[in-house]
Amino acid sequence: MKSTPKAVNLTKDIPYVARSCHTNPSISCGDCRLGELCLPIALDASEILQLDEIVKRGRALNKGDFLYREGEEFKAIFAIRSGSFKTFKTTHEGVEQVTGLFLPGEIMGMDGIASNKHSGSAVALETGSFCEIPFHLLEALSAHIPSLQGRFFRLMGQEIVKDQQMLTLVSSNAAEERVASLLLSISKRNHRRKLSPSHFRLPMTRAEIGSYLGVTLETVSRIFSRLQKQNVVKVDNKEIQLLDIDALKLIAKVHND
Amino acid sequence: MKSTPKAVNLTKDIPYVARSCHTNPSISCGDCRLGELCLPIALDASEILQLDEIVKRGRALNKGDFLYREGEEFKAIFAIRSGSFKTFKTTHEGVEQVTGLFLPGEIMGMDGIASNKHSGSAVALETGSFCEIPFHLLEALSAHIPSLQGRFFRLMGQEIVKDQQMLTLVSSNAAEERVASLLLSISKRNHRRKLSPSHFRLPMTRAEIGSYLGVTLETVSRIFSRLQKQNVVKVDNKEIQLLDIDALKLIAKVHND
DNA sequence: CGATAAGTTGAACTGGCTCAAGTCATGTGG
DNA sequence: CCACATGACTTGAGCCAGTTCAACTTATCG
């Protein structure tokens, strides 16, 4: 079940032991196995060392802990090391609107760059850990390392494309397509992280999934039931198995990749 | 292949004449009255001169002309000087999904940064003009001018926030709220450009508006009629007058700004 | 001036929502 | 470690906002 440790103060107290990157808070960017997904792509060894200097290895977070809050001053971006996180905004009526799901190797917090205030909040969906990169230091370092500047431009560009895909998904597709697309998206991201693309835990509640996809939680539940009946997926609470990925792609109306 | 071969070589051939910025293809960034909305914000005079060096003043475009096409190699970002543009993707079924509306002073094309290919297309909604900024030159210049790098980070951050707002709007609000929000958004952007916030031309067709907002064109039409009946707006085809902005904000459920 | 695209309005239909009742999972305090 | 409380999930039934289809009017432009 919980693969992440309860002990928290590993950071400086324990001697270096080669454990898997995402559970060991003291590992460096150069050794992190998420490096090829994360910020350091496109950097050479010496550049990674410089990046390492400004990265703060974060403490472990528990489910429900905030990484930052809507309206709070923007200070840093966050790279997920383990666990999963959601971002959301709270509407005028006090309803939570989920805007993103983040998995290890992905970067959060770029919503604060424009105005120096976070435009949404970020919380842990389960026990997890992260690296914190103070933005002013990242900016300064980027000005000295062109490939880091380029990498960060690209990272922000990715976020833009991702958000636009989400917009397209939500504004033009039926509920079933949205659910199928979300499952395929997680599958693909797991695959890149060398995890099973067909068996995973979906860390959000039905209500969160619904909010993210612009449908009600009941609709999400019904669609899971229906897809299960069709033998496309097997759903056991949050545990998801994709039994027929091609069928799922057909439902999601994805014809490529 | 470019669909826009018309008159192209204005850039260097005609003598400098002091015409209003957005119709004069040869004016420089320093003199452009859109400067305070556009890229140059946060740059000092000498930095603006350097930026000027890499900016290509674009030719005029007619309605329907493409700025770039989905899948095309990403070479440059575009700053709108006059007119208006939409961005869109074409779905597997061949349906056009509008993803953005761009007005003078706004920047287009950042969807190509991540992968070096444009993830969507951009076309002129009416006669218009633009500046083209080759991205590799912008990147190189940014590495030398920290304030330009910062400016561009912020600009991309704005795009991220804007897309997320759109996502929230489309996935959680009723059709009427979406239409009201779009009108208020245009109003606000006109205001920043020192144009009338209450009387403007909405350059999209009902179908484009509907696609952008995730509803059908009939629904858009009906909502316009309804809002008109309530004396909130006056709609004469594409000509829009906001008669009661407070009522509109109430409908859009915007309680702040 | 005629053709074609854009916009309006009506009527019937439906996917997803709301409300409701119940089951199941998780975790906390006794 | 169990019991019970609370939150998460499922399923059903009725309803409604927005869609679909259709007929018509109004703009636009070669």
Side-chain angles (χ1 to χ4, degrees):
Chain A
M1 296 295 291
K2 290 232 170 94
S3 53
T4 16
K6 317 249 148 123
V8 176
N9 293 321
L10 302 173
T11 322
K12 287 176 182 141
D13 305 339
I14 62 166
Y16 180 89
V17 202
R19 271 180 284 164
S20 112
C21 152
H22 60 292
T23 54
N24 179 356
S26 63
I27 205 161
S28 68
C29 289
D31 296 328
C32 179
R33 73 176 181 76
L34 293 169
E36 60 204 50
L37 303 175
C38 189
L39 248 187
I41 313 183
L43 301 191
D44 67 30
S46 86
E47 290 164 349
I48 291 182
L49 281 179
Q50 292 179 72
L51 177 62
D52 240 335
E53 289 289 306
I54 67 169
V55 173
K56 289 199 264 178
R57 251 44 77 170
R59 67 201 172 288
L61 289 183
N62 294 315
K63 180 174 175 175
D65 288 348
F66 278 76
L67 221 38
Y68 51 83
R69 284 168 195 271
E70 187 169 344
E72 210 173 81
E73 189 190 347
F74 166 68
K75 293 185 191 126
I77 59 163
F78 300 88
I80 309 309
R81 292 165 71 82
S82 66
S84 54
F85 294 77
K86 69 172 173 182
T87 50
F88 65 95
K89 293 178 170 234
T90 305
T91 65
H92 13 76
E93 290 102 347
V95 182
E96 172 182 316
Q97 166 68 46
V98 175
T99 54
L101 166 65
F102 293 82
L103 302 178
E106 299 172 351
I107 308 288
M108 309 181 70
M110 294 186 283
D111 65 329
I113 293 175
S115 65
N116 268 307
K117 300 240 174 281
H118 283 290
S119 81
S121 306
V123 316
L125 291 167
E126 58 193 315
T127 305
S129 60
F130 61 92
C131 295
E132 186 175 348
I133 303 139
F135 188 66
H136 71 282
L137 295 178
L138 181 63
E139 262 191 303
L141 194 57
S142 293
H144 289 290
I145 306 179
S147 53
L148 179 59
Q149 177 193 267
R151 172 68 187 137
F152 200 66
F153 280 151
R154 250 148 270 258
L155 217 41
M156 292 188 77
Q158 252 174 49
E159 183 73 22
I160 290 170
V161 170
K162 195 193 74 178
D163 288 344
Q164 284 181 4
Q165 273 168 354
M166 205 61 208
L167 178 62
T168 303
L169 181 69
V170 164
S171 76
S172 71
N173 298 128
E176 203 177 47
E177 295 171 42
R178 303 184 203 176
V179 173
S181 293
L182 176 63
L183 295 181
L184 289 171
S185 162
I186 294 173
S187 169
K188 197 159 78 180
R189 286 144 82 189
N190 273 357
H191 190 61
R192 293 205 316 147
R193 288 159 46 219
K194 315 251 156 67
L195 298 178
S196 170
S198 61
H199 189 191
F200 50 83
R201 192 181 141 83
L202 210 176
M204 292 169 154
T205 65
R206 300 291 186 262
E208 287 164 337
I209 297 168
S211 168
Y212 190 34
L213 299 177
V215 296
T216 58
L217 69 96
E218 291 95 333
T219 297
V220 175
S221 178
R222 276 186 250 270
I223 287 171
F224 277 153
S225 300
R226 201 189 309 158
L227 291 179
Q228 177 152 255
K229 207 159 289 169
Q230 297 166 204
N231 286 311
V232 175
V233 301
K234 185 166 182 318
V235 181
D236 174 21
N237 213 353
K238 295 198 159 96
E239 220 60 45
I240 309 275
Q241 259 186 75
L242 308 187
L243 302 175
D244 186 346
I245 293 196
D246 289 334
L248 207 56
K249 284 184 180 172
L250 226 61
I251 292 168
K253 302 212 176 130
V254 179
H255 299 156
N256 47 334
D257 82 0
Chain B
M1 282 271 99
K2 300 256 155 80
S3 68
T4 40
K6 318 270 154 109
V8 176
N9 293 321
L10 301 173
T11 323
K12 304 209 164 110
D13 303 339
I14 62 168
Y16 179 89
V17 202
R19 270 180 283 164
S20 120
C21 152
H22 60 291
T23 55
N24 179 356
S26 63
I27 205 162
S28 67
C29 289
D31 296 329
C32 179
R33 74 176 180 75
L34 292 170
E36 62 204 49
L37 304 174
C38 190
L39 247 186
I41 314 184
L43 301 192
D44 67 31
S46 85
E47 290 165 349
I48 292 182
L49 281 178
Q50 292 179 72
L51 177 61
D52 240 335
E53 289 290 307
I54 67 168
V55 173
K56 289 198 263 179
R57 255 36 83 168
R59 65 204 174 284
L61 289 183
N62 294 316
K63 181 175 175 174
D65 288 348
F66 279 76
L67 222 40
Y68 52 83
R69 284 168 194 273
E70 187 169 343
E72 212 173 79
E73 189 191 347
F74 167 67
K75 293 184 191 123
I77 58 163
F78 300 89
I80 308 310
R81 292 165 70 81
S82 66
S84 54
F85 294 76
K86 69 171 172 182
T87 49
F88 65 95
K89 294 179 169 233
T90 305
T91 65
H92 12 76
E93 289 103 347
V95 181
E96 172 182 316
Q97 166 68 45
V98 175
T99 54
L101 165 65
F102 293 82
L103 301 178
E106 299 173 352
I107 308 288
M108 308 181 70
M110 294 185 284
D111 65 329
I113 293 175
S115 65
N116 268 307
K117 299 239 174 282
H118 282 289
S119 80
S121 306
V123 315
L125 291 168
E126 58 193 313
T127 304
S129 60
F130 61 91
C131 294
E132 186 175 345
I133 301 137
F135 188 67
H136 71 282
L137 296 178
L138 182 63
E139 263 192 302
L141 194 56
S142 293
H144 289 290
I145 306 180
S147 51
L148 180 59
Q149 177 194 266
R151 172 68 185 136
F152 200 66
F153 279 150
R154 250 146 270 255
L155 216 42
M156 294 188 76
Q158 253 174 49
E159 183 73 22
I160 290 170
V161 170
K162 195 193 73 177
D163 288 343
Q164 284 181 3
Q165 273 168 355
M166 204 62 207
L167 178 62
T168 302
L169 182 69
V170 165
S171 77
S172 71
N173 298 128
E176 204 176 46
E177 295 171 41
R178 302 184 204 177
V179 173
S181 293
L182 176 62
L183 295 181
L184 289 172
S185 162
I186 294 174
S187 170
K188 196 159 78 180
R189 285 143 83 189
N190 274 355
H191 190 61
R192 292 205 316 146
R193 288 159 48 219
K194 314 251 156 70
L195 298 179
S196 170
S198 61
H199 189 190
F200 51 83
R201 192 181 140 82
L202 209 177
M204 292 170 154
T205 65
R206 300 291 186 262
E208 288 164 337
I209 297 168
S211 168
Y212 190 34
L213 299 178
V215 296
T216 58
L217 67 96
E218 291 94 333
T219 298
V220 174
S221 179
R222 276 185 250 270
I223 286 170
F224 277 154
S225 300
R226 202 188 309 157
L227 292 179
Q228 177 152 256
K229 207 158 288 169
Q230 298 167 205
N231 286 311
V232 175
V233 301
K234 185 166 181 319
V235 182
D236 175 20
N237 214 350
K238 295 198 158 92
E239 220 59 44
I240 309 275
Q241 260 185 73
L242 308 188
L243 302 176
D244 187 346
I245 293 196
D246 289 334
L248 207 56
K249 284 185 179 171
L250 225 61
I251 292 168
K253 302 211 176 134
V254 179
H255 299 156
N256 47 335
D257 83 359

